[in-house]
Every structure is written in C-alpha cells, then in structure tokens.
Amino acid sequence: MQGFVTAIYEIGCLFGAIFILAFGDFLGRRRAIMMGGSIMILGVIIQVTAERTATPLAHGPPNLVWRFPIAFQIIFALVLVIPLIWLPESPRWLLTRGRDAEGEAVIAALRGLEPDSKECQLQKQIILDSIAASGYAGRKGTPLKAVFTNGKTQHFRRMMLG
C-alpha cells in the first residue's frame, strides 16, 4: 500500500508538470505557484479529514500520530502562498505580455529607483533583448516544439537536466 501512495504522489507531480508546461506561460510564475500551493493545501485537507477506515496505512496508531505530520505540510504551503498575494509578477513576464508600465514599475521597485531612470530603462531593454533573442518575441508563450528541440535557448537540455 505504501508503494501505491508514493506512486499516486508521483503521478500527481507528473500531471502538475504537464499542466504547467501547457499553461505556465499563460498563468505566470506568481499565479502558478499560488495555484500549486492551494492544490497542496486542498490535498492535505482531504488526507487529514479522511476517515480512519478509509486509510489502510493508519490502522492501529492514534489519530494524532499520522494526522499531524500530514497536516503540518499546510504550514509550508501557507508560507509559500500568502506572501505571493502582495508580490508582483516578474518583469520579464509583464514585458512579454506588453505590460510595459507594470514591468518598468517592478524593475524600479527592485532597484529602488524611478521607472524612468536610465538604469531601469537599461534593465527593461536587456529583458526585451533577451525575449527577442529567444526567438519568441510577440508570442504569449513558448511553443511545445521548443521544449523538444535544442535551439538557441537549449530548452531540451534544460528539461533533461530537470
């Protein structure tokens, strides 16, 4: 039964990775991380509130012995999700979406400068140049084909390393 639980966890991770591959560029890092943390919290709640008879691994030990370690995972998910409510999206994602003013504001906030300062404009241009160099400027996301080819951005090599 322990092998089944481990396998289900790994299959869930696989489906999560496939989902982010398909929708990650659309969602952005911030929303994707918040969604993943929220799904983790929901999964923990389902596990902890399950009846003892429905969990074969829990026969015998008192409830606290097996419920507490599972429930404690919520602390880490909350530490991950709650601060993201106040953090902005990354400047690269904003600039890729054509939201230049917001991207400039984030760059300025990170540098502690005004959005129209030379350094902020330089950083914006560097990001825009890297987007153009990747060959995907003007697109809303990286095409799936790029993940399985070894082009300028080495997506396939990065995927295999991951």
Side-chain angles (χ1 to χ4, degrees):
M1 186 51 77
Q2 286 177 338
F4 176 74
V5 172
T6 303
I8 289 296
Y9 180 80
E10 295 296 328
I11 290 170
C13 290
L14 173 67
F15 283 122
I18 291 169
F19 178 83
I20 290 301
L21 178 65
F23 299 105
D25 282 336
F26 170 74
L27 292 172
R29 288 184 189 148
R30 184 175 160 263
R31 281 190 273 171
I33 293 169
M34 289 175 73
M35 192 171 80
S38 299
I39 290 170
M40 182 179 169
I41 291 169
L42 179 64
V44 168
I45 290 170
I46 290 169
Q47 286 178 317
V48 170
T49 59
E51 291 297 318
R52 195 163 149 181
T53 57
T55 54
L57 296 177
H59 287 307
N63 281 337
L64 186 63
V65 171
W66 68 272
R67 289 185 198 259
F68 178 75
I70 294 172
F72 193 71
Q73 297 175 64
I74 289 179
I75 301 298
F76 300 109
L78 290 173
V79 167
L80 182 72
V81 170
I82 290 173
L84 286 172
I85 294 169
W86 294 282
L87 289 177
E89 191 57 70
S90 74
R92 181 182 175 94
W93 187 82
L94 292 168
L95 292 172
T96 301
R97 298 283 178 280
R99 295 163 57 178
D100 291 7
E102 292 174 74
E104 289 173 2
V106 173
I107 293 169
L110 288 170
R111 301 281 183 187
L113 302 169
E114 292 298 316
D116 58 349
S117 70
K118 284 190 175 204
E119 186 177 342
C120 287
Q121 293 303 312
L122 175 64
Q123 288 299 316
K124 175 188 170 188
Q125 193 57 50
I126 289 170
I127 293 170
L128 289 172
D129 289 346
S130 74
I131 293 168
S134 70
Y136 305 115
R139 295 185 182 195
K140 294 291 184 194
T142 305
L144 188 60
K145 175 184 160 191
V147 176
F148 298 103
T149 58
N150 232 2
K152 293 185 263 184
T153 53
Q154 300 287 308
H155 287 306
F156 183 72
R157 183 176 67 85
R158 292 179 190 180
M159 180 182 69
M160 295 308 291
L161 288 173

